[in-house]
Amino acid sequence: MTLIAIMLFPLYWMLNASLLPSTELVRATPTWLPIHGTLDGYRNALSSQGGHLLTSLYIALGTVAVTLLIAVPAAYGLAQLDAPGRRTLLFALLVAQMIPGIVMANAFYVAANRLYLLNSPLGLILADSTLCVPFAVLILHAFMRTVPAEIREAAALDGASHLRTLVAVILPVSRNAVITASLFSFLFTWADFLFAVTLTTRDEFAPITVGIYRFIGAHMSDWNSVMATGVIASVPVAVLLVVAQRYVAAGITSGSVKD
């Protein structure tokens, strides 16, 4: 409940500001309830930012798919199989988390420019996945190493391949960890601004974070529309956090205790 309260408090102020006319937003005394509210901000937000929201949703879902496609088998190999050099690889994944984003953004711009992926959702999906994959591997590895080896061995005795064992045996019992990795990948991609502003130069291909940034620059006096855009962009994240909160708590703590 504490997490939900912390999340809803700023959302309330955004919702309040999004319903107030711009003239009331600059008053010396704050307006606690939008009694004389207006929905003009939401009309402007949907008309100007609707495409950016769809772009962000497409990029976030694509990043989650790419992240899980790479991280799940990688974590399974590191946790359940005798993969050579697994300790070195895990250390490398930890080090990758400490690389400044601005350094990676400059490199991604050069690579995307040469591969003709500027102003492309695919370019952003690949860029965001480079940060999401190491984190997802660490989360999934921490859980999968607690899965008893006897389960995998029993599946092998029944003739199951490593792929079938992963899909039919390991993944179902790793549901909480998979949901946790998916949620954090989605949240990071949805809130990403650095990679988005680096790899998009045209408004029609920009995600919502860049869309709000450029919208503020062009409409400095239309703050209720800006706040309405913020509310609309926060709704998917708020819903995901509320729905997946118990899975995230279980997925994070499940790998911290070993029998």
Side-chain angles (χ1 to χ4, degrees):
M1 294 301 294
T2 302
L3 175 61
I4 297 177
I6 294 175
M7 176 185 64
L8 292 181
F9 185 72
L11 187 59
Y12 161 76
W13 283 111
M14 283 197 301
L15 179 62
N16 183 48
S18 67
L19 295 172
L20 292 174
S22 298
T23 54
E24 292 194 28
L25 291 174
V26 295
R27 293 173 54 184
T29 56
T31 302
W32 297 94
L33 293 175
I35 299 176
H36 304 289
T38 176
L39 295 176
D40 290 341
Y42 286 92
R43 297 189 188 96
N44 296 334
L46 289 175
S47 62
S48 62
Q49 303 296 318
H52 299 311
L53 285 168
L54 293 177
T55 300
S56 285
L57 183 62
Y58 175 75
I59 294 172
L61 293 177
T63 301
V64 170
V66 172
T67 299
L68 293 182
L69 186 63
I70 299 174
V72 168
Y76 173 66
L78 292 172
Q80 290 288 323
L81 306 179
D82 293 328
R86 59 182 181 273
R87 292 184 180 273
T88 303
L89 182 55
L90 287 172
F91 179 75
L93 292 175
L94 287 172
V95 172
Q97 303 292 302
M98 298 184 289
I99 300 176
I102 188 62
V103 176
M104 302 179 67
N106 291 333
F108 285 144
Y109 179 84
V110 175
N113 187 38
R114 293 181 177 177
L115 296 173
Y116 303 100
L117 291 178
L118 287 179
N119 298 305
S120 169
L122 178 59
L124 280 174
I125 289 173
L126 295 177
D128 291 328
S129 297
T130 58
L131 288 184
C132 294
V133 167
F135 180 80
V137 170
L138 294 174
I139 289 291
L140 292 169
H141 169 266
F143 182 90
M144 288 183 180
R145 70 178 181 179
T146 64
V147 177
E150 291 78 5
I151 296 178
R152 174 175 54 81
E153 294 171 356
L157 290 176
D158 290 337
S161 62
H162 287 308
L163 179 60
R164 182 172 179 81
T165 301
L166 172 61
V167 174
V169 179
I170 302 299
L171 276 183
V173 299
S174 305
R175 180 187 61 176
N176 292 335
V178 172
I179 293 176
T180 301
S182 302
L183 179 63
F184 277 97
S185 299
F186 185 93
L187 293 179
F188 169 78
T189 307
W190 188 267
D192 171 58
F193 176 77
L194 180 59
F195 292 165
V197 77
T198 302
L199 300 180
T200 56
T201 58
R202 297 165 58 182
D203 287 341
E204 58 265 31
F205 298 104
I208 187 61
T209 50
V210 179
I212 294 177
Y213 169 72
R214 293 172 181 168
F215 184 80
I216 293 175
H219 303 81
M220 285 296 294
S221 61
D222 194 8
W223 280 105
N224 64 332
S225 297
V226 174
M227 292 296 103
T229 305
V231 171
I232 295 173
S234 301
V235 168
V237 175
V239 172
L240 281 175
L241 285 175
V242 172
V243 172
Q245 183 177 205
R246 64 190 183 96
Y247 298 104
V248 173
I252 291 177
T253 59
S254 57
S256 62
V257 179
K258 187 175 182 180
D259 295 333

